[in-house]
Amino acid sequence: MNDLVVESCAVLSSVFATIIAKKIERLQDTRKRKKIRFWVREWIQRRNMLGASNLVRMELKSNFPEDFRNLLRMTEFQFEYLLLRVTNIISKSDTNMRQAISAKTKLEVTLRYLATGDSFKSLEFLFRVPKNTISKFIPETCEAIYNELAEFIQVPVTSDEWKNIEYGFRTRWNFPRCVGALDGKHVVIRAPPGSGSDYFNYKNSYSIVLMALVDSDYCFLYVDVGAKGRGSDGGIFQNSSLYNALETNSLAIPNNFVILADDTFPLKKYIMKPYSRRNLTPAERIYNYRLSRARRVVENAFGILASKFRLFEKPISLKLETLDKVVLACCAIHNWLKKTNPRYVTGDLIDYEDEDHRVFPGSWRQNNHSGLQNLPATNHRHSNMEAQQIRNKYRDYFNNEGAVPWQNQIIDVSNEL
């Protein structure tokens, strides 16, 4: 009798175990099906047929080149060139959970994000790519873009390279022995979690700082990005690699060559800035005009950047470790397109002069660039005697043998610099 009871209990236990195992299996299958449905939602699956990539490939690419350029900020040829450069870096193999995103789609999504600053959710609907996936591959793609285009944004390393830059400033902007114009911008961002006031700047917004040295043709020679917006602007410059290189004279810049800057930066033997606006003599006003005229290249370079990449029109909502990659990618693309595409800057986008050298502001100045804020002027009280003497020599030169025919008329008309 006891054996029968034991045997019956064993049978029942086996039956219950089987039932429980089947229930667990069905539950796991249900969870798997739910997970699969999440990754392959039906409208996502139709990416290749109905997503924006299909629009680019089937219609814009061959039939509407202007619209293609407006969508991605470059021509079809330039897109294909860039895609060839980055494909091996950003490609990934297929997975069992979802259809892999092609390198082409990743590049299209990334370029559209830089061009518009659209939310990842908007890009999800446009390209039929999940926003979580977009957030993962945009930093990788931006890093690949910057690395592959690094040749277009390198600091000169030889004396001859600096002399070529000086030739541009001397012949185009009538400012001899100049090898660059320096300026910086606060790139406005969303408040980083847990950052306190580290990124809170003087305009009551959160930012990182983009500092750049620009040549005579609106191209970046040097960029430094990522300094916390809270830092004093003079301190940001002094903590940059450019400052250290200039102080130690490690860039092979010929003697007596200078960089142009505004009141944000200190007067040094290698940095020329305007005279204080108070009680200016006519000769000092002429000098200020000539410096301002040549230094406009850096203002316009930032203006072009913000106009082509509308990402800078509003606070950028990205992780801190992603921000630098995105900003550097924009700067690298800017240089690449400026040097290889004559149509990159067209019309009245930048400041221009008429035949009498009167300045007309470029259209970028009327656009919304609230995402890029100026660095504040700083009262640098201590400039050494050598720096003051160099500035005075420029002042005397511009008012004598280095004068240009129109400068007195411009000064009389403007009456303010």
Side-chain angles (χ1 to χ4, degrees):
M1 186 70 170
N2 291 336
D3 291 341
L4 181 62
V5 172
V6 170
E7 184 177 353
S8 298
C9 290
V11 171
L12 288 173
S13 296
S14 176
V15 170
F16 284 133
T18 301
I19 293 173
I20 292 172
K22 287 184 177 180
K23 286 186 176 181
I24 293 175
E25 184 178 355
R26 284 197 298 270
L27 180 60
Q28 290 175 338
D29 288 342
T30 301
R31 288 176 177 175
K32 287 181 180 179
R33 286 196 298 272
K34 286 183 178 179
K35 192 171 185 179
I36 292 174
R37 281 200 299 271
F38 174 79
W39 285 112
V40 290
R41 285 168 289 178
E42 288 187 18
W43 65 276
I44 294 285
Q45 284 184 298
R46 292 193 287 270
R47 177 190 312 126
N48 292 333
M49 294 184 295
L50 300 174
S53 290
N54 186 64
L55 169 67
V56 173
R57 181 177 68 253
M58 301 299 294
E59 297 187 65
L60 303 186
K61 185 175 180 180
S62 302
N63 302 319
F64 303 96
E66 290 296 329
D67 292 327
F68 183 99
R69 183 182 295 111
N70 183 53
L71 182 74
L72 301 180
R73 295 298 191 262
M74 61 186 62
T75 66
E76 174 192 344
F77 175 80
Q78 290 161 340
F79 176 81
E80 294 297 335
Y81 170 82
L82 186 56
L83 178 61
L84 182 64
R85 295 286 296 266
V86 303
T87 291
N88 290 338
I89 304 173
I90 64 176
S91 294
K92 290 194 175 179
S93 61
D94 292 341
T95 68
N96 294 326
M97 294 303 297
R98 56 180 173 175
Q99 181 183 10
I101 311 299
S102 68
K104 178 176 179 291
T105 297
K106 288 180 179 180
L107 185 57
E108 289 170 344
V109 173
T110 299
L111 292 177
R112 187 59 184 168
Y113 172 69
L114 300 181
T116 63
D118 285 349
S119 69
F120 291 169
K121 192 65 179 178
S122 295
L123 294 171
E124 175 185 79
F125 291 130
L126 180 63
F127 286 91
R128 296 178 184 249
V129 176
K131 68 174 185 177
N132 290 338
T133 305
I134 292 174
S135 69
K136 292 178 181 178
F137 70 67
I138 278 185
E140 299 169 358
T141 306
C142 283
E143 185 173 19
I145 289 171
Y146 178 70
N147 289 336
E148 288 301 306
L149 298 180
E151 64 196 85
F152 294 96
I153 192 168
Q154 293 183 343
V155 178
V157 294
T158 68
S159 177
D160 287 341
E161 288 177 312
W162 288 112
K163 288 177 180 178
N164 287 336
I165 295 169
E166 189 274 343
Y167 178 81
F169 276 99
R170 174 162 42 89
T171 57
R172 187 171 183 178
W173 302 110
N174 307 106
F175 207 109
R177 301 204 305 272
C178 173
V179 289
L182 179 66
D183 202 357
K185 296 288 184 181
H186 284 285
V187 179
V188 182
I189 63 176
R190 297 290 184 188
S195 64
S197 61
D198 284 351
Y199 295 86
F200 194 68
N201 65 33
Y202 79 110
K203 285 200 170 182
N204 298 325
S205 58
Y206 292 85
S207 67
I208 59 173
V209 176
L210 168 61
M211 192 167 293
L213 183 68
V214 173
D215 69 12
S216 64
D217 197 34
Y218 314 105
C219 288
F220 298 110
L221 295 170
Y222 162 92
V223 290
D224 182 273
V225 61
K228 298 176 181 179
R230 180 186 181 185
S232 66
D233 302 295
I236 291 169
F237 173 60
Q238 291 180 3
N239 290 326
S240 69
S241 58
L242 178 62
Y243 175 82
N244 180 67
L246 291 169
E247 284 287 303
T248 58
N249 196 26
S250 60
L251 292 178
I253 298 177
N255 289 333
N256 299 322
F257 278 28
V258 299
I259 289 169
L260 308 183
D262 61 11
D263 286 331
T264 300
F265 300 89
L267 178 69
K268 289 181 170 290
K269 63 180 182 180
Y270 55 81
I271 295 182
M272 292 293 100
K273 59 183 289 186
Y275 286 100
S276 172
R277 294 174 182 270
R278 294 182 180 180
N279 303 317
L280 289 174
T281 67
E284 290 171 343
R285 292 178 60 207
I286 291 292
Y287 164 87
N288 279 10
Y289 161 69
R290 296 288 292 274
L291 184 143
S292 173
R293 180 172 180 265
R295 205 192 66 81
R296 280 203 308 270
V297 293
V298 68
E299 296 176 4
N300 281 270
F302 281 124
I304 297 168
L305 190 73
S307 295
K308 296 295 184 178
F309 303 101
R310 300 298 177 88
L311 170 79
F312 296 110
E313 284 190 343
K314 53 190 175 184
I316 301 175
S317 183
L318 291 173
K319 295 179 180 179
L320 287 173
E321 56 267 28
T322 300
L323 281 166
D324 293 5
K325 298 174 183 178
V326 168
V327 175
L328 288 172
C330 291
C331 293
I333 295 172
H334 164 87
N335 268 24
W336 169 53
L337 295 180
K338 183 68 182 69
K339 293 179 179 181
T340 61
N341 181 11
R343 296 192 61 191
Y344 175 60
V345 178
T346 59
D348 60 352
L349 176 61
I350 58 177
D351 298 343
Y352 62 96
E353 297 179 343
D354 65 10
E355 58 185 12
D356 295 321
H357 295 277
R358 291 177 298 181
V359 180
F360 293 86
S363 60
W364 70 264
R365 295 185 183 273
Q366 280 74 53
N367 295 335
N368 172 28
H369 297 146
S370 58
L372 282 182
Q373 298 174 346
N374 292 329
L375 302 183
T378 305
N379 184 17
H380 298 279
R381 297 180 179 275
H382 305 291
S383 57
N384 63 44
M385 186 64 67
E386 184 180 7
Q388 295 178 33
Q389 290 173 346
I390 293 173
R391 182 167 64 175
N392 290 341
K393 287 180 180 179
Y394 269 109
R395 176 201 62 196
D396 296 341
Y397 172 79
F398 289 145
N399 283 275
N400 292 285
E401 67 272 23
V404 292
W406 66 86
Q407 63 187 31
N408 290 326
Q409 180 182 358
I410 293 292
I411 294 302
D412 289 339
V413 170
S414 66
N415 201 32
E416 279 294 337
L417 293 176

